[in-house]
Amino acid sequence: MKRSLAGETSPAKKSRGAPSPQPEMNTMMPPLHIPPPILPYIDTTSYPPTPSNTNSSSNTTVLSPDQPKFPSPSTKPVGLPDQPGQASMSENTLDGLEQAGYRQVWHWERGYPGELPEDIAEWIYPGIEKYMGIVGPLSSLFWLGGRPELCMLIEDRAYVLTDEICGIPHGASYEWLFEMLFDEGKIPGRIFHEMYEGPQEAMTTLSGHEDIPKVVTDSMKEHSPGDVFPFSRSQTLPATVSMAKVTLPFKFKDKNMDKIASDLEARFTRSLGAGLLFRGMSRTMVHSLMAFFTPILVKGNVDNEFGPGFYTTPSLQYALGYARNEGVILVFKDPDFQRLECLQLTGRDWKSTTAFWTGRTMSNARDRIPEHWRKSDVLQGAVSAFIGTGTARAPGEYTQVVGTSPAALLAFLASLKMIIWLQ
C-alpha cells in the first residue's frame, strides 16, 4: 500500500562513547503521532562511523501517551541536494534510455526531456509529482528495472502484455511493477518465477479471483466477510464490514488523484470520523488477505522499506496509487495499540532501516539497528521518495504505519471498518 516530507533540523547522532540513558518502552497506549520527518543526506554506498558525541541520543522516538494521535498536514518537501556516484537499481539509468533504443520517461524531479508525447501527457496532471515517481512505457520501465527480457512479452502476440504507459508510485520500485503485472495475469507465472530463481522463493498467495463479489453493490452496506469471501476465516475477522463498489468517473492517469480521494471521502470515509488508516491493493490479493491476515512476502519485493510488515498510510490519496483503477481500499479506524510498542523512525534510524531492507550497501548493519527495534510492534515513519536516477532515497511526502508483529496484525484486523471496491 510504496507510495512524505519536509526537513527541519539535522538528525542527532548516536553517541560513540558512554551510552545515554534510554527511555523505557511504553506500556500505556502510544498514540499515532507522526510529526514532519527529517530530510537527511542519504549515502547508499557506505555508512561511515558516527563521530563521538556523548550528549546525543538515538533518533528513534518511543511515542508517549501525551502526544496527539494524528499529525497535522505535512508540508511540501524542500529541495534535495544532488548526490552523484550513488548505486543504482541496475546499470540502466534515465540518461541511457535513448541510446539503448527505448523511449524517454517522465520523472518526478527531472520532468520529461522535451515536449511530452500525447500518451504520457494523459498521465501528467498538476500535483502528480506528489504521488508518482516515474511514468513511461512498460518497455522503458522494464529496461530501467534491469529486466529488458520482459520486452519479449510485449512483442509476442501470444501474451496479453502491451507497451502501455504505466506509473510507479513513490516508495515503490520496479520490482513492484513486475509483481503488479504478474498479479494482473500479464506476466506468466513461469516467467515470473524464473526471474526470482524458482517458485518456492517467489510464490505469492494468490487466488486468481479478480471480479467484484456480486453481493457488493453501489450502496455502502454491512456484510459478513463470509458472504463476500467464501474462504475467509471468521474467527479472526470482524462480524461485519461495510462494503461498496465504486465506478470511477475517470482513470487515475486522466485526472488529479486528489479529486478521486475527495469524492471517496465525501461519499464514504468521512462518515467514519478521524483516526483512519488506508491500504490499497489488488482484488486478487484481498481474497488471500481475508483467508490469512498477514503480509504476503515475495522474494523480489523491495517495497517494504521498513522490513516485513502490514503497511498502511493515513493518506487515502497515497493508498489509491497502489489500488489503481481496479483494486480495493481497506479502511481501518483507530487500531488499538494500547498494549503495543510503537516506534517512530526518523533521521539516521530511518536511513539505516530503509537502506537495510531495500538491499543497499550498509556497513556495520548490526551497530545501526534502531533502539528498541526488536521489541517494536508498530513502526511509523516517512514513505521514501527516490532521489535522482538511482536508488537513493529520502523521506517523502507521505507517512506509513506498519504492523510488525502478530499482536499488531490483530489490532489492524479488529479495526477493519470498510472495503471500497474500485472499477
Side-chain angles (χ1 to χ4, degrees):
M1 326 197 44
K2 4 186 181 163
R3 94 266 102 297
S4 329
L5 345 111
E8 281 150 26
T9 59
S10 299
K13 299 180 181 297
K14 288 186 179 181
S15 170
R16 303 293 290 185
S20 301
Q22 297 296 332
E24 295 295 328
M25 295 295 290
N26 290 335
T27 57
M28 302 298 292
M29 177 179 180
L32 283 174
H33 173 58
I34 313 167
I38 298 170
L39 281 180
Y41 173 85
I42 298 182
D43 181 358
T44 61
T45 57
S46 65
Y47 277 76
T50 305
S52 177
N53 183 349
T54 57
N55 295 323
S56 62
S57 61
S58 170
N59 292 119
T60 298
T61 301
V62 182
L63 301 181
S64 59
D66 57 347
Q67 291 176 292
K69 188 162 189 178
F70 278 91
S72 57
S74 59
T75 54
K76 190 174 182 179
V78 298
L80 299 170
D82 293 333
Q83 300 183 41
Q86 308 230 359
S88 62
M89 184 171 296
S90 68
E91 295 293 333
N92 307 332
T93 64
L94 297 180
D95 295 328
L97 276 168
E98 189 171 7
Q99 184 177 358
Y102 294 90
R103 291 180 57 191
Q104 296 285 358
V105 299
W106 174 92
H107 185 270
W108 75 285
E109 282 188 313
R110 297 173 48 155
Y112 189 88
E115 184 177 353
L116 272 173
E118 183 177 347
D119 56 351
I120 296 181
E122 291 180 355
W123 279 74
I124 309 304
Y125 50 77
I128 187 177
E129 69 278 357
K130 294 189 297 182
Y131 311 109
M132 291 291 175
I134 190 167
V135 174
L138 282 180
S139 57
S140 300
L141 300 180
F142 289 161
W143 185 81
L144 288 169
R147 296 291 182 179
E149 67 273 14
L150 290 180
C151 291
M152 71 177 184
L153 302 180
I154 298 173
E155 300 166 357
D156 193 331
R157 294 183 179 180
Y159 300 101
V160 298
L161 196 62
T162 61
D163 202 14
E164 61 186 298
I165 305 300
C166 189
I168 300 179
H170 288 307
S173 66
Y174 296 106
E175 303 281 356
W176 170 83
L177 173 64
F178 306 151
E179 292 168 17
M180 181 269 295
L181 293 171
F182 168 64
D183 190 10
E184 294 179 351
K186 295 180 179 179
I187 296 181
R190 174 182 59 82
I191 294 176
F192 183 78
H193 295 153
E194 289 175 355
M195 291 168 55
Y196 299 114
E197 301 174 0
Q200 293 81 6
E201 295 181 276
M203 187 64 70
T204 53
T205 309
L206 301 179
S207 63
H209 295 284
E210 299 179 0
D211 296 331
I212 297 177
K214 293 181 179 180
V215 297
V216 179
T217 66
D218 296 331
S219 301
M220 185 63 70
K221 296 180 180 179
E222 295 275 331
H223 291 279
S224 166
D227 294 338
V228 180
F229 306 101
F231 279 82
S232 62
R233 291 182 168 88
S234 59
Q235 73 269 30
T236 57
L237 290 166
T240 60
V241 178
S242 298
M243 300 187 202
K245 62 180 178 181
V246 177
T247 301
L248 298 177
F250 37 69
K251 293 189 175 183
F252 295 159
K253 70 178 183 180
D254 297 325
K255 297 290 182 178
N256 193 322
M257 207 175 298
D258 287 339
K259 295 181 180 179
I260 300 176
S262 296
D263 178 67
L264 295 179
E265 288 170 354
R267 295 173 61 185
F268 305 120
T269 65
R270 190 172 299 161
S271 63
L272 296 176
L276 302 183
L277 294 171
F278 306 93
R279 178 180 173 92
M281 60 195 313
S282 71
R283 296 178 192 168
T284 297
M285 298 292 277
V286 76
H287 281 272
S288 298
L289 191 66
M290 293 301 106
F292 186 21
F293 202 85
T294 186
I296 297 173
L297 303 179
V298 181
K299 178 174 182 275
N301 191 341
V302 296
D303 304 321
N304 295 342
E305 55 194 11
F306 286 1
F310 186 80
Y311 283 69
T312 65
T313 175
S315 169
L316 176 56
Q317 292 93 325
Y318 183 72
L320 280 167
Y322 281 82
R324 295 169 59 81
N325 295 304
E326 296 184 348
V328 299
I329 298 291
L330 305 182
V331 185
F332 305 90
K333 179 174 174 57
D334 292 326
D336 183 5
F337 299 150
Q338 181 173 355
R339 299 181 181 277
L340 305 184
E341 309 296 355
C342 300
L343 297 183
Q344 179 187 325
L345 296 177
T346 60
R348 181 168 289 275
D349 288 334
W350 185 93
K351 290 196 300 181
S352 299
T353 300
T354 56
F356 181 83
W357 290 110
T358 56
R360 287 171 288 160
T361 302
M362 182 175 69
S363 61
N364 302 324
R366 186 177 299 276
D367 296 334
R368 304 195 182 277
I369 299 173
E371 292 293 333
H372 306 304
W373 171 271
R374 293 182 177 88
K375 294 182 180 180
S376 64
D377 298 295
V378 180
L379 298 176
Q380 303 170 27
V383 176
S384 70
F386 285 103
I387 304 174
T389 62
T391 58
R393 300 184 183 220
E397 193 166 341
Y398 295 99
T399 299
Q400 51 197 351
V401 180
V402 186
T404 57
S405 72
L409 291 178
L410 289 175
F412 275 114
L413 185 57
S415 68
L416 178 62
K417 296 299 181 184
M418 186 178 291
I419 301 178
I420 303 173
W421 302 73
L422 306 178
Q423 64 178 5

